[in-house]
Amino acid sequence: MSEPQPRPTDTQAAAPALMTRREIMLVLAGLMLAMFLSSLSQTVVGTSMRTIADDLHGLDLQVWVVTAFLIVSTIVTPIYGKLSDIFGRRPLFLIAIALFLAGSIASSFAQDMVQLAAFRALQGLGAGGLFSLPLTIMGDVLSPRERAKYQGFFLAIFGVSSILGPLIGGLFAGTPEILGLHGWRWVFLFNLPIGAAALFMVWRFLHLPSHHERVRIDWWGAALLAVAVVPLLLVAEQGRVWGWGSVAAIACYVVGALGVVAFLWVESRMGQAALIPLGLFRGRTFAMATVLGVFTGFGMFAGMMLLPFILQIVHGMTPTEAGLATLPMIVGLMISSIGSGQVIARTGRYRLFPVVGLGIMAAGYGVLVTLQWDTPLWTLLLGQLILGLGLGMLMQTLTIASQNAVEPKDMGVATSSATFFRQLGGTAGVAVVFSLLFARLPDTLRTAFGRDDLRADLAAAVQDPAVVADPGNARILDILQRPETIGEALNNDSSFLNTADPRLAAPFLDGFSTATTTPFWVALAVVSVAFVVALFFKAPPLRQKSAMEEALERRAAQAQLEQDGSIPGSMAPPVTGSIPTVRSAGASEPPAER
């Protein structure tokens, strides 16, 4: 006769059950929709921005539309992470999606560029959560090994959006009217069905156990983060226009530096309640992963932003064609991210991937620094493929390392902090490469026009009556009449190269291509430094359970001890044995993977 089974205690009965595999997969589908929405919005708008600016009569203001979205989304990224640790992931994620959709609707009805910049800032309020919360929620519901497998597919979503974005943006921007609205306005309205599906999936299926505690909210830290970051991002975006030594630029340097100092002081006083707890950086793994994330962001955005310019200007492609020509980078990223995720999921080892990934990225930039205006297109495509193969090994691995290095209660702030610093690195990369490009361009253009072979072809073209009579050559012929304007000829408009005689366009293409080698050399140097740093990267073993499982087991075990009456709740010791012990951010780490 079987023994009677013990009745579950009140604590066990009340403990929330873990999510089933079906529920997890449905949640992941919703997260993928949200990430697809956020990444697609950037590539779609980028392709159609020229048409939007022309229609709203504000071509000189288009940079503020991009800057407003970038600044706001960067600032709120760590705020979402911290608030989600306090109030739960689900409400913050729903708010992020709702804000993004509200900004999309408002942007579609903008009447001028100032309104569009304001509405894109509203979109950025939601985008900051869409960037970081999906990876945080993955950390809640999946163990690190499983996470590595699925994060590769999340990066594949990023790759697909990078391909579809230029195509969709070009399609809408090229259509005069759809259902009574200008075609470009559907660039923003296109977000609504995708966002609605993501909103429903998250609302219906994402139910994570919450554990509310009475905590302080770091409002001062949030405000000072804005004071520190906004001036530095502004000068990074506008410094080339203002002048790096101008009064506006110097004011941004001073305000940003004071903001950084004040932010660090407040965070040190707030301790664990800080927006970005400084104690996280006492852990070697988290600190090293953050540094490598900054370098990775620099290298990633430097290439991703500069290569489309080369494809359009040097190789004469349309924005849509240039988007398709970035396919090798996306394919490389997808292959290596999915492949490395599968290896991590099976072996639990990940230390080697940052080293190998950065080494491959350096090889990719090694190819790109050799580009010249007459270099075959396949060389550029090969460099992109190699660059993508390296990136795919880095992005998910560094995120997993950051999440694995902190307690479950800090999962949100750790993930959002890693995303925040990677975005800062990317912003710095974009600012540096374009500043170097346009700083070098006047000299390289003058040098190109001094080359004997190009001058001979140029002289022959100018003597050709058919060339002189062709309206497509008028802009270059006008520039040749005023040689002092050659250095600034490509600063505002390069479209005249698309219709010009190849002999007239050659010096411009040569000068532009030569100017891009300096940014590529800088990116190569940054990635090489990161490669050396990665050699010292320590990788503690991946934990076997998800953050949600660890948190529930610890709470259930502590509640059981309190219920037994042997130990008062406030004096309960840490749970050991079968329950995983999660180290604090500043504690010594277990032996790292060799």
Side-chain angles (χ1 to χ4, degrees), residues 203-226:
W203 174 79
R204 177 67 178 83
F205 298 109
L206 181 61
H207 299 286
L208 301 178
S210 58
H211 182 62
H212 297 286
E213 296 178 352
R214 189 175 183 84
V215 296
R216 293 184 297 167
I217 299 179
D218 187 11
W219 299 116
W220 278 107
L224 289 171
L225 180 65

Side-chain angles (χ1 to χ4, degrees), residues 268-586:
S268 66
R269 296 292 300 270
M270 291 294 292
Q272 283 299 309
L275 184 66
I276 302 179
L278 301 184
L280 294 176
F281 296 92
R282 287 198 293 270
R284 291 177 302 171
T285 300
F286 184 86
M288 186 76 76
T290 300
V291 171
L292 292 176
V294 172
F295 287 140
T296 299
F298 187 105
M300 176 177 66
F301 282 96
M304 292 183 69
M305 297 300 290
L306 195 53
L307 286 169
F309 272 77
I310 297 174
L311 290 166
Q312 292 180 62
I313 293 177
V314 178
H315 294 277
M317 295 183 178
T318 65
T320 302
E321 291 170 341
L324 288 174
T326 61
L327 185 60
M329 179 187 292
I330 305 305
V331 169
L333 188 148
M334 293 170 64
I335 290 173
S336 62
S337 63
I338 294 174
S340 61
Q342 295 294 326
V343 172
I344 294 173
R346 290 189 177 125
T347 67
R349 295 183 176 274
Y350 61 101
R351 178 187 178 276
L352 192 61
F353 288 111
V355 178
V356 175
L358 287 165
I360 294 176
M361 276 189 71
Y365 276 117
V367 173
L368 296 177
V369 297
T370 67
L371 296 179
Q372 298 179 6
W373 74 278
D374 55 354
T375 300
L377 178 61
W378 68 262
T379 305
L380 188 151
L381 300 180
L382 175 63
Q384 285 192 79
L385 175 64
I386 298 172
L387 201 61
L389 287 171
L391 276 172
M393 296 185 187
L394 288 165
M395 296 175 63
Q396 66 164 332
T397 306
L398 295 176
T399 299
I400 291 171
S402 298
Q403 293 174 334
N404 191 59
V406 301
E407 295 184 21
K409 68 181 181 63
D410 292 324
M411 184 70 70
V413 70
T415 307
S416 62
S417 296
T419 305
F420 170 73
F421 284 106
R422 186 168 62 244
Q423 286 179 310
L424 284 183
T427 303
V430 172
V432 168
V433 297
F434 280 105
S435 296
L436 287 173
L437 172 64
F438 286 101
R440 286 273 293 143
L441 193 55
D443 291 335
T444 58
L445 285 174
R446 295 188 188 98
T447 301
F449 273 89
R451 284 181 49 176
D452 292 338
D453 55 340
L454 296 181
R455 285 177 63 87
D457 291 340
L458 190 65
V462 172
Q463 298 301 318
D464 187 343
V467 171
V468 176
D470 188 349
N473 298 320
R475 171 69 173 144
I476 294 183
L477 293 174
D478 180 62
I479 292 172
L480 294 177
Q481 296 297 318
R482 296 177 295 150
E484 70 277 3
T485 65
I486 288 175
E488 289 74 37
L490 298 180
N491 282 6
N492 298 316
D493 183 13
S494 63
S495 60
F496 62 88
L497 297 175
N498 297 333
T499 58
D501 184 277
R503 293 169 293 178
L504 296 179
F508 292 97
L509 303 184
D510 178 69
F512 185 87
S513 181
T514 303
T516 62
T517 58
T518 300
F520 283 144
W521 275 111
V522 171
L524 175 59
V526 170
V527 172
S528 298
V529 171
F531 173 78
V532 174
V533 173
L535 294 175
F536 302 94
F537 182 57
K538 303 298 182 183
L542 292 179
R543 299 202 292 262
Q544 300 297 315
K545 297 184 179 180
S546 68
M548 183 172 64
E549 290 174 311
E550 291 183 358
L552 287 176
E553 288 187 0
R554 289 173 65 88
R555 291 170 196 160
Q558 184 168 337
Q560 183 64 53
L561 289 174
E562 294 174 11
Q563 185 177 6
D564 291 343
S566 57
I567 302 175
S570 60
M571 300 294 292
V575 181
T576 58
S578 61
I579 307 301
T581 301
V582 184
R583 61 188 178 281
S584 65

